[in-house]
Amino acid sequence: SDAMTIAHLLNHTSGLPPKAFHSTVPVSAGDILKAIVQVERLEEPGMHYRPSLAGMQLLALLVQKITKTPFEQYLKEHVFTPAGMMESGISVAQQNADRMADGMIRVGHELRDTNWYAYNDDPNFIWGTGSSNVYASLGDLHKFYQALQADKLLNQSSRELLWRQGQLAGGEKIVAPTGSYGHGFALYSCPDDHQIMCWTGHAGGLG
């Protein structure tokens, strides 16, 4: 079978299913990896664009494995701090829980309040699975975008790769339901030929 690459994970063409597990409580990195290893792939990598939380979770585990640093700590040292994002993180302190915005989820034609957030101070658990649980203020999201544009977080070639439309194994450009897709970023084209980069392309619900 064809090898799965980091690019496959970033552009959701890994062949992994949407989810490897579902939990409403914090889980260990070992639990996540065990679930991903045991899950059956839907197809060979590079065949189709299929959003996969399991793929994002595997990327976070790779970061931890390669850097020998907990994912939350890596984000703080290499993303939040360099970008000046002082109101961002993963583990929400209990005293800050009342500042969390209510997450909304679409049910039919209605938007419903999920009333969901999480906090946990146990270092043996991993909230930041790579697919969810990062929080940030609106101002910090703007700082994140500015830091990317200024190449404070990545060099120019890596940044351009994030915002370059991905390809399938047959050479076709990756097209998502909301537009084209790069490497971890949804890409939207405006009528005046400007391009908008969206961090996830997600509708905004929490979970």
Side-chain angles (χ1 to χ4, degrees):
S1 61
D2 293 336
M4 185 187 303
T5 68
I6 290 177
H8 288 136
L9 296 171
L10 282 171
N11 59 31
H12 292 295
T13 60
S14 65
L16 290 172
K19 294 182 179 180
F21 74 98
H22 176 71
S23 176
T24 57
V25 298
V27 293
S28 70
D31 291 336
I32 296 173
L33 182 59
K34 182 179 179 180
I36 294 175
V37 169
Q38 292 179 342
V39 76
E40 183 176 354
R41 285 196 320 199
L42 301 177
E43 58 193 0
E44 294 299 314
M47 300 304 295
H48 296 95
Y49 167 84
R50 299 183 189 276
S52 172
L53 299 182
M56 296 294 105
Q57 292 156 1
L58 186 54
L59 283 170
L61 294 177
L62 282 172
V63 169
Q64 292 194 150
K65 178 70 173 180
I66 293 171
T67 66
K68 296 180 173 59
T69 305
F71 187 58
E72 180 174 7
Q73 181 182 339
Y74 185 87
L75 285 180
K76 182 177 180 180
E77 294 177 356
H78 296 275
V79 178
F80 300 147
T81 298
M85 300 168 65
M86 298 297 102
E87 296 184 313
S88 301
I90 291 178
S91 299
V92 181
Q94 187 170 6
Q95 61 267 26
N96 293 330
D98 59 349
R99 297 186 60 209
M100 294 295 291
D102 290 336
M104 306 300 290
I105 187 170
R106 184 182 297 277
V107 179
H109 297 290
E110 298 180 2
L111 283 177
R112 296 184 182 177
D113 185 351
T114 62
N115 194 27
W116 187 95
Y117 60 81
Y119 56 84
N120 187 279
D121 296 322
D122 187 339
N124 296 317
F125 289 113
I126 173 174
W127 275 115
T129 63
S131 63
S132 63
N133 300 325
V134 173
Y135 69 89
S137 67
L138 182 60
D140 272 8
L141 290 177
H142 184 230
K143 290 177 181 178
F144 173 70
Y145 176 73
Q146 288 182 314
L148 275 178
Q149 287 281 39
D151 297 330
K152 291 182 178 180
L153 307 181
L154 298 170
N155 59 38
Q156 181 179 348
S157 61
S158 295
R159 170 176 55 80
E160 290 176 348
L161 176 62
L162 289 182
W163 297 340
R164 184 184 307 150
Q165 189 174 6
Q167 291 186 336
L168 299 176
E172 306 97 323
K173 297 290 187 180
I174 295 176
V175 178
T178 53
S180 57
Y181 201 86
H183 293 77
F185 282 78
L187 309 173
Y188 301 89
S189 295
C190 299
D192 59 0
D193 293 330
H194 282 78
Q195 192 176 60
I196 298 176
M197 284 68 68
C198 178
W199 194 347
T200 62
H202 198 279
L206 295 178

